[in-house]
Amino acid sequence: QVQLVESGGGLVQAGGSLRLSCTASGRTVSSYDMGWFRQAPGKDREIVAVIFRGGSMTWYADSVKGRFTISRDNAKNTVYLQMGSLKPEDTGVYYCATRNIWTRDYDYWGQGTQVTVSS
């Protein structure tokens, strides 16, 4: 059974930094595309960053490019999202997810971690 557990959220002032962690069990993070998503109150969930399987290629939403960095520690089977220069509009629940190789759908999700950026 695949489980993803996020941690690292919290309250931070605008301009500050946070690092989110997503530790996986039942699936090797280096063998799958891993994504970070977020959902702000009253808004749809949006994809924030992806780290692709097998290598170090990454993708970022325009809204976070240059401020967020996604990375992976294979020994810890953990994916990180380093967030800097945070803005109030970055507030939301952040989720990590893993993408099914065959269907290309994100099929397993963590429970989410709250990030609140105060102005």
Side-chain angles (χ1 to χ4, degrees):
Q1 183 177 356
V2 179
Q3 287 189 321
L4 303 175
V5 179
E6 300 101 335
S7 62
L11 173 64
V12 64
Q13 288 188 331
S17 300
L18 279 175
R19 188 179 78 159
L20 306 183
S21 301
C22 172
T23 300
S25 58
R27 187 170 277 187
T28 302
V29 298
S30 61
S31 299
Y32 294 83
D33 296 347
M34 299 293 297
W36 281 99
F37 296 74
R38 67 186 180 190
Q39 187 165 22
K43 294 188 176 181
D44 293 334
R45 186 170 58 197
E46 62 174 344
I47 188 166
V48 173
V50 179
I51 185 164
F52 296 97
R53 67 186 178 102
S56 58
M57 287 187 62
T58 57
W59 173 92
Y60 297 94
D62 287 343
S63 58
V64 307
K65 203 172 291 184
R67 301 188 297 121
F68 290 11
T69 302
I70 188 171
S71 63
R72 181 172 55 211
D73 185 330
N74 294 340
K76 295 182 179 180
N77 210 34
T78 297
V79 176
Y80 301 99
L81 186 68
Q82 179 69 48
M83 306 186 295
S85 302
L86 283 162
K87 306 174 182 180
E89 51 263 43
D90 294 318
T91 294
V93 179
Y94 283 70
Y95 301 89
C96 70
T98 177
R99 182 151 58 185
N100 187 290
I101 294 173
W102 294 273
T103 67
R104 306 298 293 161
D105 294 325
Y106 285 91
D107 55 356
Y108 289 98
W109 295 79
Q111 82 286 354
T113 185
Q114 176 71 45
V115 172
T116 303
V117 184
S118 62
S119 57

